[in-house]
Amino acid sequence: MITLSEYGESRIEIKKSVFIGRAVRIRSAQEAEAFVNEARNTYPDARHCCYAWTYDGQTQMRKYSDDGEPSGTAGMPMLSIIDKNGFMNVAVTVTRYFGGILLGKGGLVRAYTEATIAALEAAGPVRTEVGEAYRADCPYAMSDKLTYLMETNGWQIEDIQYGSNVGITYVCQKTDSAKMITAVTDKTAGKISPVLIGEREILIEKFSLKE
């Protein structure tokens, strides 16, 4: 999944008009609507607050608005950038303070597109996958050996708890699970058996936008 890792903001000025882009990951349609309303409340004296968002839950939802700009010059170009890059679960707003000089339809499309791209880039685009979380309980004497095994294979350690034994919670890609179980079993001579405890989203790599 291509999504965002954090909140991002951009600001560009074209012929005295200021365009403020804001981008964030969302986890529901309600979060998207709240994000749009927040932008409106943050810049109450702005001429326009255009937006585009997409959310893929049980059914895919998407919405955009030109908010008074000429039809097709703001919301749709913003959504086009989201779609072209395959983003999921993201919302973008671009607030415009009108500078008194008309930009024309082409100028508006370029301005809203530029502000959207800059905001998305500032929000840290990433590609993620659904991974599997495991727990391995081991004696203290084996804990360093296991953590080293996980770190060298890129399996992300999520938590380590110390009690009578050491409980290590870690995450790996689903495609790595069989390899991981074999490696842990071999490393501990069959004394440790990882237990699947659920799913986790894991970062695979940073993502570069297509304009």
Side-chain angles (χ1 to χ4, degrees):
M1 177 172 71
I2 308 299
T3 189
L4 300 174
S5 60
E6 57 189 351
Y7 168 78
E9 190 170 304
S10 66
R11 183 184 181 95
I12 63 173
E13 184 172 341
I14 300 175
K15 295 183 178 179
K16 298 185 179 181
S17 280
V18 176
F19 297 83
I20 302 169
R22 303 167 80 243
V24 73
R25 180 175 180 174
I26 56 170
R27 290 173 173 78
S28 68
Q30 290 75 22
E31 278 193 17
E33 297 290 356
F35 183 66
V36 173
N37 289 332
E38 181 189 356
R40 288 174 173 153
N41 292 333
T42 302
Y43 307 104
D45 53 340
R47 176 72 67 90
H48 306 282
C49 181
C50 306
Y51 65 85
W53 59 263
T54 180
Y55 174 68
D56 190 18
Q58 291 183 333
T59 59
Q60 186 176 28
M61 301 179 66
R62 57 218 306 270
K63 194 173 179 181
Y64 65 91
S65 171
D66 295 314
D67 193 35
E69 293 282 28
S71 179
T73 62
M76 181 56 77
M78 293 167 67
L79 185 62
S80 177
I81 293 298
I82 291 173
D83 288 345
K84 184 183 296 184
N85 287 278
F87 278 110
M88 295 173 61
N89 302 350
V90 302
V92 183
T93 63
V94 177
T95 301
R96 181 189 182 189
Y97 281 91
F98 182 54
I101 300 174
L102 298 177
L103 302 183
K105 286 191 174 183
L108 287 173
V109 170
R110 287 190 294 273
Y112 280 100
T113 297
E114 183 179 335
T116 297
I117 291 172
L120 288 168
E121 287 178 337
V126 291
R127 184 168 71 86
T128 66
E129 289 185 7
V130 176
E132 293 181 332
Y134 289 83
R135 181 180 172 91
D137 292 305
C138 65
Y140 278 79
M142 287 186 178
S143 61
D144 288 345
K145 185 185 297 185
L146 274 184
T147 56
Y148 179 76
L149 176 69
M150 293 164 190
E151 289 168 353
T152 54
N153 282 278
W155 303 325
Q156 301 172 18
I157 296 175
E158 187 177 84
D159 184 47
I160 301 179
Q161 295 183 348
Y162 299 94
S164 56
N165 286 316
V166 180
I168 306 172
T169 302
Y170 58 99
V171 183
C172 70
Q173 293 176 248
K174 286 186 176 182
T175 53
D176 262 5
S177 59
K179 170 187 172 183
M180 178 275 299
I181 291 171
T182 299
V184 171
T185 301
D186 291 347
K187 199 73 171 178
T188 63
K191 295 178 180 178
I192 306 299
S193 298
V195 177
L196 177 65
I197 59 174
E199 293 185 339
R200 298 285 193 279
E201 184 179 56
I202 56 177
L203 171 66
I204 301 300
E205 61 185 356
K206 293 182 179 179
F207 178 76
S208 298
L209 266 71
K210 303 171 186 176
E211 299 187 8

